Amino acid sequence: MAHYLYLVRHGEQLDAEHGMPDGPLSPRGRRQAELIARRLSGVPFNAAWHSPLRRAEETAQVFREVMPSLSLQPSALLFDCIPSGPSPDMPHAFQSFFHSITPAEIEAGTAQMADAVDEFFAPAREDRHDLLITHNFVIGWFVRHVFDAPQWRWLGLNQANAGLTIIRVRSAKPPVLVTHNDLAHLPAELRTGLPEAQPF
Protein backbone atom coordinates (compact mmCIF):
# COMPACT_ATOMS: atom_id res chain seq x y z
CA MET A 1 0.00 0.00 0.00
CA ALA A 2 1.17 3.56 -0.73
CA HIS A 3 1.44 6.17 2.03
CA TYR A 4 2.33 9.62 0.73
CA LEU A 5 3.36 12.66 2.78
CA TYR A 6 2.80 16.00 1.04
CA LEU A 7 5.05 18.52 2.79
CA VAL A 8 4.29 22.19 2.13
CA ARG A 9 6.28 25.07 3.52
CA HIS A 10 4.09 27.99 4.63
CA GLY A 11 3.68 31.05 2.40
CA GLU A 12 5.86 34.12 2.72
CA GLN A 13 5.51 35.89 6.06
CA LEU A 14 4.81 39.60 6.18
CA ASP A 15 7.95 41.53 7.19
CA ALA A 16 9.95 38.29 7.47
CA GLU A 17 13.06 40.17 6.40
CA HIS A 18 12.87 42.21 9.63
CA GLY A 19 13.40 39.15 11.79
CA MET A 20 9.90 38.84 13.26
CA PRO A 21 9.56 35.40 14.89
CA ASP A 22 6.04 34.90 13.53
CA GLY A 23 3.39 36.88 11.74
CA PRO A 24 0.68 36.88 9.09
CA LEU A 25 1.19 36.01 5.47
CA SER A 26 2.18 38.78 3.10
CA PRO A 27 -0.08 39.36 0.07
CA ARG A 28 2.50 37.43 -1.96
CA GLY A 29 2.47 34.66 0.65
CA ARG A 30 -1.29 34.33 0.39
CA ARG A 31 -1.05 34.05 -3.39
CA GLN A 32 1.61 31.36 -3.00
CA ALA A 33 -0.71 29.45 -0.67
CA GLU A 34 -3.61 29.73 -3.11
CA LEU A 35 -1.54 28.32 -5.96
CA ILE A 36 -0.19 25.33 -4.02
CA ALA A 37 -3.66 24.63 -2.62
CA ARG A 38 -5.14 24.63 -6.12
CA ARG A 39 -2.37 22.37 -7.36
CA LEU A 40 -3.14 19.82 -4.63
CA SER A 41 -6.93 20.20 -4.75
CA GLY A 42 -7.36 16.90 -6.58
CA VAL A 43 -5.44 14.82 -4.04
CA PRO A 44 -7.73 12.60 -1.90
CA PHE A 45 -6.23 13.58 1.43
CA ASN A 46 -6.97 11.30 4.36
CA ALA A 47 -5.68 13.77 6.94
CA ALA A 48 -4.02 17.17 7.12
CA TRP A 49 -2.04 18.97 9.82
CA HIS A 50 -0.34 22.32 10.16
CA SER A 51 2.13 23.99 12.50
CA PRO A 52 0.36 26.14 15.11
CA LEU A 53 2.47 29.18 14.16
CA ARG A 54 0.51 31.96 12.48
CA ARG A 55 2.19 31.83 9.07
CA ALA A 56 1.46 28.11 8.78
CA GLU A 57 -2.05 28.44 10.20
CA GLU A 58 -2.93 31.14 7.65
CA THR A 59 -1.54 28.94 4.88
CA ALA A 60 -3.82 26.18 6.16
CA GLN A 61 -6.79 28.58 6.11
CA VAL A 62 -6.18 29.17 2.40
CA PHE A 63 -6.22 25.39 1.84
CA ARG A 64 -9.59 25.25 3.61
CA GLU A 65 -10.96 27.94 1.30
CA VAL A 66 -9.86 26.00 -1.78
CA MET A 67 -10.83 22.59 -0.33
CA PRO A 68 -13.77 23.17 2.06
CA SER A 69 -14.06 19.48 2.95
CA LEU A 70 -10.43 19.27 4.10
CA SER A 71 -10.13 18.92 7.87
CA LEU A 72 -6.88 20.55 9.02
CA GLN A 73 -5.62 20.13 12.58
CA PRO A 74 -2.75 21.92 14.37
CA SER A 75 0.13 19.72 15.47
CA ALA A 76 2.92 20.76 17.83
CA LEU A 77 5.12 18.18 16.05
CA LEU A 78 5.25 20.57 13.07
CA PHE A 79 6.45 23.66 14.99
CA ASP A 80 9.48 25.45 13.62
CA CYS A 81 12.47 24.05 15.52
CA ILE A 82 16.19 23.27 15.53
CA PRO A 83 16.25 19.52 14.77
CA SER A 84 19.80 18.82 15.95
CA GLY A 85 22.94 20.51 17.18
CA PRO A 86 26.52 20.73 15.95
CA SER A 87 28.46 17.47 15.67
CA PRO A 88 32.11 16.56 15.05
CA ASP A 89 31.39 15.53 11.46
CA MET A 90 29.56 18.76 10.61
CA PRO A 91 31.39 21.11 8.21
CA HIS A 92 32.93 24.09 9.99
CA ALA A 93 30.99 26.49 7.73
CA PHE A 94 27.80 25.68 9.64
CA GLN A 95 29.22 26.46 13.09
CA SER A 96 28.19 30.11 13.05
CA PHE A 97 24.51 29.15 12.65
CA PHE A 98 24.46 27.74 16.17
CA HIS A 99 26.03 30.74 17.95
CA SER A 100 22.63 32.08 19.10
CA ILE A 101 20.98 28.67 19.62
CA THR A 102 20.69 27.39 23.19
CA PRO A 103 21.18 23.75 24.28
CA ALA A 104 17.56 23.75 25.46
CA GLU A 105 16.34 24.70 21.98
CA ILE A 106 18.38 21.91 20.43
CA GLU A 107 17.18 19.36 23.00
CA ALA A 108 13.53 20.32 22.43
CA GLY A 109 13.88 20.25 18.65
CA THR A 110 15.62 16.87 18.66
CA ALA A 111 12.86 15.34 20.79
CA GLN A 112 10.14 16.94 18.67
CA MET A 113 11.53 15.61 15.40
CA ALA A 114 12.02 12.11 16.80
CA ASP A 115 8.33 12.10 17.76
CA ALA A 116 7.35 13.61 14.39
CA VAL A 117 9.12 10.85 12.45
CA ASP A 118 7.47 8.18 14.62
CA GLU A 119 4.06 9.80 14.08
CA PHE A 120 4.06 10.68 10.40
CA PHE A 121 6.32 7.98 8.93
CA ALA A 122 4.25 5.10 10.26
CA PRO A 123 3.36 2.71 7.40
CA ALA A 124 -0.30 2.59 6.39
CA ARG A 125 -2.43 -0.50 5.83
CA GLU A 126 -4.20 1.14 2.91
CA ASP A 127 -3.47 3.82 0.33
CA ARG A 128 -3.06 7.08 2.25
CA HIS A 129 -2.34 10.74 1.45
CA ASP A 130 -1.41 13.10 4.30
CA LEU A 131 -0.81 16.86 4.06
CA LEU A 132 1.66 18.58 6.42
CA ILE A 133 1.99 22.39 6.33
CA THR A 134 5.13 23.26 8.22
CA HIS A 135 8.54 24.97 8.15
CA ASN A 136 11.84 24.88 6.31
CA PHE A 137 13.88 23.08 8.97
CA VAL A 138 11.18 20.48 9.64
CA ILE A 139 10.96 19.56 5.97
CA GLY A 140 14.75 19.51 5.74
CA TRP A 141 14.86 17.04 8.65
CA PHE A 142 12.27 14.77 7.02
CA VAL A 143 14.28 14.74 3.77
CA ARG A 144 17.46 13.99 5.76
CA HIS A 145 15.61 11.09 7.41
CA VAL A 146 14.62 9.61 4.04
CA PHE A 147 18.28 9.28 3.06
CA ASP A 148 19.44 8.30 6.57
CA ALA A 149 21.99 11.08 6.20
CA PRO A 150 24.14 12.48 9.04
CA GLN A 151 22.09 14.49 11.53
CA TRP A 152 23.58 17.83 10.52
CA ARG A 153 22.54 17.32 6.89
CA TRP A 154 19.19 19.12 7.32
CA LEU A 155 21.30 22.26 7.21
CA GLY A 156 21.42 23.52 3.64
CA LEU A 157 18.31 21.59 2.55
CA ASN A 158 16.25 24.65 1.72
CA GLN A 159 12.59 24.82 0.77
CA ALA A 160 10.97 27.85 -0.86
CA ASN A 161 7.75 29.35 0.46
CA ALA A 162 4.89 27.10 -0.71
CA GLY A 163 7.38 24.61 -2.12
CA LEU A 164 6.13 21.02 -2.42
CA THR A 165 8.04 17.96 -1.20
CA ILE A 166 6.49 14.49 -1.45
CA ILE A 167 7.72 11.41 0.43
CA ARG A 168 6.45 7.87 -0.01
CA VAL A 169 6.51 5.81 3.19
CA ARG A 170 6.92 2.06 2.73
CA SER A 171 6.43 -0.76 5.25
CA ALA A 172 9.27 -3.13 4.36
CA LYS A 173 11.68 -0.71 2.69
CA PRO A 174 13.11 2.74 3.47
CA PRO A 175 11.00 5.77 2.52
CA VAL A 176 11.43 7.33 -0.91
CA LEU A 177 11.76 10.99 -1.87
CA VAL A 178 9.31 11.49 -4.76
CA THR A 179 9.94 15.20 -5.30
CA HIS A 180 11.74 17.95 -3.40
CA ASN A 181 10.91 21.67 -3.34
CA ASP A 182 8.79 21.48 -6.49
CA LEU A 183 7.82 25.02 -7.55
CA ALA A 184 6.04 24.29 -10.83
CA HIS A 185 2.87 25.95 -9.51
CA LEU A 186 4.65 29.26 -8.79
CA PRO A 187 5.65 31.85 -11.40
CA ALA A 188 9.17 33.21 -11.03
CA GLU A 189 8.06 36.36 -9.19
CA LEU A 190 6.43 34.27 -6.44
CA ARG A 191 9.42 32.06 -5.72
CA THR A 192 10.66 33.32 -2.36
CA GLY A 193 12.23 31.94 0.80
CA LEU A 194 15.43 30.48 -0.60
CA PRO A 195 18.86 31.83 0.38
CA GLU A 196 20.21 34.61 -1.79
CA ALA A 197 22.76 33.45 -4.35
CA GLN A 198 26.27 34.39 -3.28
CA PRO A 199 28.72 35.76 -5.86
CA PHE A 200 31.93 33.80 -6.29
Side-chain angles (χ1 to χ4, degrees):
M1 297 298 176
H3 178 197
Y4 290 96
L5 301 176
Y6 297 76
L7 309 174
V8 173
R9 186 184 179 194
H10 58 81
E12 180 187 68
Q13 179 185 330
L14 187 66
D15 294 330
E17 67 272 19
H18 301 307
M20 293 177 62
D22 194 22
L25 295 181
S26 68
R28 183 162 56 182
R30 180 173 176 81
R31 183 63 180 144
Q32 292 165 340
E34 290 170 352
L35 290 172
I36 182 63
R38 294 191 184 284
R39 178 175 180 182
L40 296 178
S41 62
V43 177
F45 288 115
N46 298 88
W49 294 271
H50 63 85
S51 160
L53 292 176
R54 184 173 179 182
R55 56 195 186 272
E57 184 174 17
E58 290 193 3
T59 301
Q61 290 171 357
V62 174
F63 269 81
R64 286 193 192 96
E65 293 167 10
V66 174
M67 292 179 271
S69 63
L70 185 64
S71 177
L72 271 150
Q73 301 296 324
S75 171
L77 297 178
L78 298 177
F79 260 122
D80 201 6
C81 70
I82 305 298
S84 70
S87 59
D89 61 333
M90 185 184 75
H92 182 74
F94 289 121
Q95 289 285 350
S96 61
F97 173 83
F98 292 98
H99 286 172
S100 62
I101 307 298
T102 67
E105 288 176 297
I106 294 170
E107 183 179 359
T110 299
Q112 174 188 319
M113 294 317 300
D115 290 345
V117 167
D118 288 344
E119 176 73 18
F120 296 119
F121 280 75
R125 296 183 179 179
E126 66 284 323
D127 287 348
R128 185 173 181 87
H129 301 266
D130 292 337
L131 172 65
L132 311 180
I133 300 172
T134 183
H135 304 275
N136 186 38
F137 294 163
V138 174
I139 297 171
W141 183 262
F142 285 160
V143 173
R144 182 221 64 83
H145 173 75
V146 167
F147 293 109
D148 195 24
Q151 288 200 349
W152 62 267
R153 203 59 192 88
W154 60 273
L155 289 157
L157 285 172
N158 295 296
Q159 287 66 227
N161 295 118
L164 173 64
T165 294
I166 303 174
I167 293 170
R168 182 181 178 188
V169 179
R170 303 185 293 180
S171 57
K173 297 179 181 180
V176 173
L177 184 66
V178 177
T179 188
H180 175 248
N181 198 37
D182 186 342
L183 304 178
H185 50 284
L186 297 178
E189 66 271 15
L190 291 182
R191 296 182 180 184
T192 63
L194 292 173
E196 295 292 332
Q198 298 296 320
F200 292 98

